[in-house]
Amino acid sequence: MCGRFVAASSPDDIANYFDAQAPEALLEPNYNVAPTHDVYAVRADGGVRRVEAFHWGLVPSWAKDPKVGSRMINARAETLASKGAFKPSFKKRRVLVPADGFYEWKRPPAGVPKKTPKQPFFIHRPDGEPLAFAGLWAVWNGPAEGDRLQSTTIITTEANETMAPLHDRMPVILPQSKWDEWLDPENDDIETLGKLLVPAPPELIITHPVSTEVNNVRNRGPHLIDQVEPDALFS
């Protein structure tokens, strides 16, 4: 899964990297993005890419309460075409979610005390460039006039060889060569689109242990991605 990530690049840098129009809404750099936070995502609009702010946690148009989004921060690639909450967006409303990296927690090995905490790791590209997570988006209109919520979810797939020691799932990371195909709202060939949702090459990412300060969502500073010495259990 993907439950925390880093979104620290400036709006202009994101727009330049994805060859998109910069967003109107400005978000603060956040080294500990958590579910229900607002995040940037890139979508196609009439042949133009736009960077816009989205609520993280997909809220389908038919939802009675936007709180359901907290349970839809991720969507499994294997079931997108069969889940009612995701299939309409899979066909027409797809985005790229920029990330400077993401976090995952490694469980202690068997036989150690149950109270031993998990070790957080930061996963990122070795060249420092952003990751482009495959995502979906939706619009929910509330009962009050103008009560509109634009939301997104991040698609996950099986872990690659680099990620497997930490978790059995990882975000789908799309290469630049597939961005246009993924974003095109006129492309509703979900069978072909589904073939894009595969694990990234293992050499695309590297990992290192970080402080357990990342466990607290109130901590959002750049020190969270600094490498630390792991507990001997995790080395």
Side-chain angles (χ1 to χ4, degrees):
M1 63 175 295
C2 178
R4 301 280 184 85
F5 67 95
V6 175
S9 295
S10 73
D12 287 341
D13 285 345
I14 293 172
N16 289 335
Y17 188 79
F18 288 92
D19 192 21
Q21 292 188 358
E24 295 181 3
L26 300 182
L27 305 177
E28 292 294 323
N30 188 347
Y31 287 80
N32 197 5
V33 177
T36 74
H37 287 174
D38 285 345
V39 299
Y40 287 129
V42 181
R43 72 178 184 92
D45 180 16
V48 176
R49 293 179 188 167
R50 302 183 187 277
V51 182
E52 298 179 356
F54 291 78
H55 174 87
W56 184 22
L58 194 81
V59 181
S61 61
W62 43 260
K64 295 182 179 180
D65 190 321
K67 292 180 180 179
V68 302
S70 64
R71 303 195 300 271
M72 299 190 192
I73 63 168
N74 292 156
R76 294 176 68 92
E78 299 88 343
T79 57
L80 289 180
S82 60
K83 294 286 188 179
F86 300 129
K87 186 175 181 178
S89 291
F90 186 27
K91 292 187 69 173
K92 291 291 185 181
R93 294 185 292 274
R94 298 177 298 273
V95 292
L96 298 170
V97 180
D100 298 289
F102 61 103
Y103 300 103
E104 193 52 76
W105 282 256
K106 186 175 182 179
R107 295 181 180 276
V112 303
K114 292 183 178 180
K115 293 184 178 180
T116 303
K118 298 177 184 178
Q119 173 65 55
F121 283 76
F122 179 55
I123 301 99
H124 60 103
R125 287 180 56 145
D127 58 11
E129 292 191 2
L131 301 168
F133 295 158
L136 309 176
W137 69 283
V139 173
W140 180 83
N141 292 298
E145 184 176 353
D147 190 5
R148 182 179 186 273
L149 181 66
Q150 189 166 265
S151 62
T152 188
T153 187
I154 293 170
I155 301 171
T156 66
T157 186
E158 295 180 354
N160 62 21
E161 290 92 332
T162 303
M163 191 70 194
L166 304 180
H167 201 279
D168 61 358
R169 305 287 297 178
M170 68 180 295
V172 172
I173 303 169
L174 292 178
Q176 186 174 1
S177 61
K178 302 300 182 182
W179 292 354
D180 282 339
E181 182 179 358
W182 178 252
L183 291 175
D184 183 3
E186 298 301 317
N187 181 5
D188 61 0
D189 184 350
I190 58 178
E191 182 176 353
T192 301
L193 289 166
K195 294 178 181 178
L196 302 179
L197 306 178
V198 296
E203 65 273 12
L204 183 70
I205 55 173
I206 56 176
T207 74
H208 65 250
V210 296
S211 169
T212 53
E213 285 189 53
V214 74
N215 297 355
N216 188 332
V217 297
R218 292 190 293 271
N219 297 327
R220 301 186 180 187
H223 67 287
L224 295 176
I225 66 172
D226 292 343
Q227 184 167 352
V228 301
E229 289 296 324
D231 187 288
L233 293 170
F234 300 93
S235 59

